[in-house]
Amino acid sequence: GAGVSQSPSNKVTEKGKDVELRCDPISGHTALYWYRQRLGQGLEFLIYFQGNSAPDKSGLPSDRFSAERTGESVSTLTIQRTQQEDSAVYLCASSSLTPYNEQFFGPGTRLTVL
Amino acid sequence: KNEVEQSPQNLTAQEGEFITINCSYSVGISALHWLQQHPGGGIVSLFMLSSGKKKHGRLIATINIQEKHSSLHITASHPRDSAVYICAVRADKLIFGTGTRLQVFP
């Protein structure tokens, strides 16, 4: 079946605008993760959804960042009033059953804030 | 000090060489992942392991829970293995190492 998909693949926006990034996980995967990777840096955990449990938002860098997930399907990551330091590749991953299972990564969305 | 340390940070090799990348961590974990990130940015999950050893083709991953250490080995390396290899551990959340950049020359 299809892997994790993300859209858009690239997004260029002006500072101060809001952006919305989308992730479609693998069908049946109950766990969904968002990560960020700034240029030349490692991966940063942002937020984790598991089924109907309250999401783990401990990695969100500020209140400008929020994410939603509808059931066990698509998730959107929203960044309000974007700043230049938000420029990064935003990666989504999904896994089945528990958070301890293997994660499958999407291709990422490259966000550039001018 | 980072909770997940990888070494070396950069590694160059000639085609055919045996390669080892190391990962040490300082927190209690339930699992450890090895990821591969190609120059285009795509990430592939290579292994998830919580004990012992796993093998996929030319790749071997080992973990020693007592020593809080894992190694990723590549046998008979090839230029297409050139990528950044990332170690990540599952504690209360997933914690990533900074990666090892591998370049394999023909």
Side-chain angles (χ1 to χ4, degrees), chain A residues 62-107:
Chain A
S62 78
D63 59 8
R64 295 186 295 105
F65 287 72
S66 62
E68 292 184 351
R69 187 180 187 195
T70 306
E72 294 182 354
S73 62
V74 66
S75 175
T76 55
L77 176 69
T78 302
I79 309 172
Q80 296 178 307
R81 304 181 301 281
T82 52
Q83 303 294 312
Q84 288 182 328
E85 63 262 27
D86 300 334
S87 297
V89 173
Y90 289 82
L91 290 153
C92 173
S94 71
S95 70
S96 61
L97 296 178
T98 76
Y100 308 108
N101 281 0
E102 184 172 358
Q103 295 184 31
F104 295 83
F105 282 82

Side-chain angles (χ1 to χ4, degrees), chain A residues 8-82:
Chain A
S9 55
N10 283 282
K11 176 73 177 178
V12 180
T13 190
E14 293 179 344
K15 177 181 172 180
K17 301 281 189 182
D18 298 351
V19 295
E20 190 173 277
L21 312 180
R22 177 186 170 107
C23 172
D24 283 273
I26 292 172
S27 179
H29 279 190
T30 58
L32 186 147
Y33 307 78
W34 282 100
Y35 301 97
R36 175 172 73 175
Q37 186 174 34
R38 290 177 166 141
L39 185 64
Q41 298 188 22
L43 284 161
E44 297 174 71
F45 165 79
L46 296 178
I47 188 169
Y48 159 61
F49 295 91
Q50 172 59 55
N52 294 320
S53 301
D56 176 355
K57 303 180 182 179
S58 59
L60 294 179
S62 78
D63 59 8
R64 295 186 295 105
F65 287 72
S66 62
E68 292 184 351
R69 187 180 187 195
T70 306
E72 294 182 354
S73 62
V74 66
S75 175
T76 55
L77 176 69
T78 302
I79 309 172
Q80 296 178 307
R81 304 181 301 281
T82 52

Side-chain angles (χ1 to χ4, degrees), chain B residues 46-99:
Chain B
L46 298 175
F47 295 101
M48 187 197 69
L49 62 166
S50 55
S51 65
K53 174 180 172 179
K54 286 189 176 180
K55 184 176 188 294
H56 288 157
R58 295 181 294 106
L59 302 179
I60 303 167
T62 64
I63 187 168
N64 185 316
I65 296 295
Q66 287 74 30
E67 295 185 3
K68 296 189 174 180
H69 181 269
S70 176
S71 293
L72 176 68
H73 306 286
I74 305 175
T75 62
S77 59
H78 190 276
R80 64 176 174 265
D81 297 327
S82 298
V84 175
Y85 292 83
I86 303 167
C87 170
V89 301
R90 163 59 63 181
D92 56 344
K93 60 184 180 184
L94 204 59
I95 307 169
F96 293 89
T98 53

